[in-house]
Every structure is written in structure tokens, then in C-alpha cells.
Amino acid sequence: GGSDLQIYMTRVTGGGWDIASGKTLGSVTLNTWNHFVVTRNGTTFTAYKNNTQTDTWQSSGVLGASALPLTFGKYVSTTPYWYKGKLDDVHIYSRALSAAEVKQLYNLGR
């Protein structure tokens, strides 16, 4: 069995949330490491799982700062939901990675 890894929300300026809500990045196989990458280039988001593009979508808005903490593995709501697994080698870049760079990171195990 497995479960899905999702992006729930991305904070944007003006107090709103970007339309990345509920995007599924792919199924997670139990007891197996999976490599997930999401890039944003302008208004285009691209998702990869194990070096394979799984989704692309459009969403406008300027990414902005928030008073809320940056959180991985937890969906914040009145009842928080925790990811039941391990996260390793989380990276945040100030630019969108190319498909070749995603492949390089995947091959390096990062």
C-alpha cells in the first residue's frame, strides 16, 4: 500500500493563498525513499517524482513572507494532519530548477 504526498498551500502577498492547494505529487510507496521536486517559474508549477514529471499547473501570485512558520510534513488546520514518514535533504532555491538540474539532484540522491 501507499499514500499520496500533496502540496496544500503556498502563501502569497496580500494575505491570500496560491492555487497549489491539494495538488498531488504522486503516490508514496511504503518503506521506499522517493524523490519529490516542485519548481515554480513565473506562474508555472512543475512537479517531479523520482525524476519523472508528474504534473504541471498555472497559478498566479507573488510568493511573499508570512508570520506563520515554514512547515513540512504537516497540514495546518483546526485539526493538524502529520505526514507519517521521514523527510530528508529538504532544499529551497531562490530560482526554478531546470529538468536537467532535477535529474542531477535525483542521480546524486539529494
Side-chain angles (χ1 to χ4, degrees), residues 4 6-10 18-23 74-75:
D4 292 333
Q6 295 186 334
I7 300 175
Y8 285 100
M9 295 180 193
T10 303
D18 219 345
I19 311 171
S21 180
K23 282 290 182 180
K74 178 182 176 186
Y75 172 67

Side-chain angles (χ1 to χ4, degrees), residues 33 86-91 109-110:
W33 284 105
K86 296 180 181 179
L87 300 176
D88 185 41
D89 257 349
V90 175
H91 298 267
R110 296 184 181 184

Side-chain angles (χ1 to χ4, degrees), residues 91-103:
H91 298 267
I92 300 174
Y93 296 87
S94 61
R95 61 178 178 78
L97 299 178
S98 68
E101 290 171 312
V102 171
K103 180 178 181 178

